Amino acid sequence: MQLEKDEILSEPLETKFDYYVYEYVIKENQEVFYVGKGTSKRAWRDTRNAACEQIKNEYDWEIRIVKENLTEEEALDLEKELIQKYRDSGDLLTNILPGGIKATEAEIVANVKYLLFLLEKGVINISLNEIANIFLLSSSTVWHIANDGHYSETEPEIPENINDIILQYHVNAYNEERTRAGNIKYVLSLLDTGVIKCSQSKIADFFGMTPSNISSIKKGQTHADIPKLIPENIGEILQKFSPFYLSEEEKLKGRISFILRLRNQGIISITNTDIAKILNTTTYLISEFNRTDEDRKYSFKEVRPTDEIMIKLFSYFTLN
């Protein structure tokens, strides 16, 4: 039986023949993001490359069987044809390989050996399982290539897509944690130079970390090798922590300071109760500004009250 391309299957097929070609599809827009060939339940199990797995984690997706009851060679040809067709039309597949490659052929073994060479030399940071996913091999096959002499006659060869592989797996590639540490270092540098105003606890909250994490990054106790990285949302950070921005609490306390100065200078005659009523706050807060103990008395930069508040204060001004 041959399936139509747009037929969607939710369960594995029990096929008489071995091979079929499948696609991973985003349900919302029916966009194909991966093409593969397999036997048995291959389409429903195992992980693929990192880009493919990220899409699978972020979107509601499904498996579409393009054609079944194929020989391996037929499946390889169709896989390669589909991958080329989608790429020619501008679709962004996550396939790293061009398709149509038999897992055990010497070229793949040679490519695996080259990646193992780069891994040994510290150029890339990649697991054997990730190498297996790139080349559609089993992890055990890659292990045997890496650890025994079964393929000793095969010399390493650079894969055609080596540029894509190194960009994704180079040893200095920044994962989410390393990128966040670099972003925090940049934000801390803004804090040190007065470009932003906040506590380290506020920075910790913004990045979803603990204050001790921020302190460790600042002291170089962790992520010492990570440079400062400008966050993609730097505008939001500058706005949120602007040194010219006053919170509502800061505005309130600044207005209290302004009014109390006028009272102390004899310009207005007003009680704490009336100040609290006009500013819609408590008399307790007002009294905190009038402590005789200078170390415990509130002191805030004055903020001129709004015109509406000034109108309410008008009747309290004294005549000289």
Side-chain angles (χ1 to χ4, degrees):
M1 177 184 71
Q2 178 176 322
L3 299 177
E4 295 298 326
K5 183 172 183 292
D6 60 354
E7 184 174 352
I8 305 299
L9 298 182
S10 59
E11 297 294 337
L13 295 172
E14 295 296 334
T15 59
K16 180 178 179 181
F17 297 95
D18 286 339
Y19 289 90
Y20 58 88
V21 173
Y22 63 93
E23 297 171 340
Y24 289 164
V25 184
I26 296 175
K27 283 186 178 181
E28 181 179 4
N29 56 16
Q30 290 298 293
E31 180 180 343
V32 177
F33 63 93
Y34 186 87
V35 177
K37 63 98 178 163
T39 60
S40 185
K41 298 182 180 181
R42 165 64 180 170
W44 285 265
R45 67 186 183 192
D46 301 331
T47 58
R48 305 301 184 262
N49 61 70
C52 180
E53 293 306 307
Q54 182 176 352
I55 292 179
K56 287 162 70 175
N57 288 332
E58 293 181 358
Y59 294 91
D60 190 11
W61 62 282
E62 59 194 354
I63 299 168
R64 178 160 62 202
I65 301 298
V66 179
K67 194 172 183 179
E68 60 161 341
N69 295 342
L70 301 172
T71 66
E72 184 175 16
E73 294 302 325
E74 288 172 335
L76 290 168
D77 289 343
L78 180 55
E79 177 195 38
K80 184 174 183 178
E81 176 187 336
L82 288 173
I83 291 174
Q84 189 61 48
K85 184 192 77 169
Y86 285 126
R87 286 181 171 164
D88 287 346
S89 63
D91 294 326
L92 299 176
L93 295 179
T94 58
N95 293 75
I96 292 181
L97 292 177
I101 295 175
K102 197 170 182 177
T104 56
E105 61 190 16
E107 181 183 1
I108 295 300
V109 175
N111 290 164
V112 170
K113 282 197 165 186
Y114 186 77
L115 294 192
L116 292 171
F117 165 75
L118 294 183
L119 177 62
E120 180 185 357
K121 297 298 183 181
V123 175
I124 59 176
N125 184 13
I126 190 170
S127 68
L128 298 188
N129 189 55
E130 287 171 322
I131 294 176
N133 291 333
I134 288 174
F135 295 104
L136 305 180
L137 300 172
S138 68
S139 297
S140 60
T141 299
V142 175
W143 187 91
H144 284 297
I145 295 173
N147 292 284
D148 63 30
H150 188 70
Y151 299 97
S152 59
E153 73 284 356
T154 304
E155 293 295 325
E157 290 184 11
I158 300 176
E160 291 183 3
N161 59 329
I162 188 62
N163 187 65
D164 294 335
I165 294 173
I166 290 184
L167 285 176
Q168 186 167 340
Y169 295 105
H170 69 87
V171 71
N172 292 321
Y174 292 129
N175 57 24
E176 182 178 349
E177 179 186 352
R178 289 166 62 86
T179 299
R180 183 167 57 176
N183 292 162
I184 289 170
K185 286 188 175 183
Y186 184 84
V187 173
L188 287 172
S189 71
L190 298 181
L191 181 63
D192 289 341
T193 55
V195 175
I196 61 173
K197 181 186 73 173
C198 65
S199 64
Q200 288 188 191
S201 295
K202 292 291 186 182
I203 295 175
D205 290 340
F206 186 85
F207 285 98
M209 303 184 76
T210 66
S212 61
N213 292 147
I214 303 299
S215 178
S216 296
I217 292 173
K218 183 177 178 64
K219 294 176 181 177
Q221 295 171 339
T222 62
H223 303 91
D225 61 320
I226 306 297
K228 291 182 288 188
L229 300 173
I230 300 177
E232 292 183 359
N233 58 342
I234 183 60
E236 177 187 353
I237 293 171
L238 293 174
Q239 183 71 30
K240 185 177 181 64
F241 301 122
S242 170
F244 307 106
Y245 171 79
L246 294 177
S247 67
E248 290 304 313
E249 180 183 4
E250 289 173 321
K251 290 177 183 178
L252 171 61
K253 293 179 178 179
R255 287 164 184 160
I256 294 172
S257 294
F258 179 91
I259 294 172
L260 290 178
R261 176 178 62 80
L262 295 184
R263 187 175 71 179
N264 292 337
Q265 292 176 345
I267 298 174
I268 61 175
S269 177
I270 190 172
T271 65
N272 287 354
T273 301
D274 287 339
I275 294 174
K277 183 177 179 180
I278 290 173
L279 296 180
N280 193 28
T281 187
T282 64
T283 55
Y284 174 81
L285 179 61
I286 309 299
S287 65
E288 292 296 299
F289 286 78
N290 296 308
R291 287 181 175 272
T292 56
D293 186 344
E294 291 295 329
D295 292 333
R296 298 180 62 192
K297 183 167 65 175
Y298 279 6
S299 177
F300 285 88
K301 183 178 180 180
E302 290 185 9
V303 174
R304 189 182 188 281
T306 63
D307 290 343
E308 181 182 359
I309 294 174
M310 290 300 295
I311 291 173
K312 292 179 181 180
L313 289 173
F314 183 76
S315 61
Y316 296 94
F317 278 78
T318 60
L319 296 175
N320 294 325

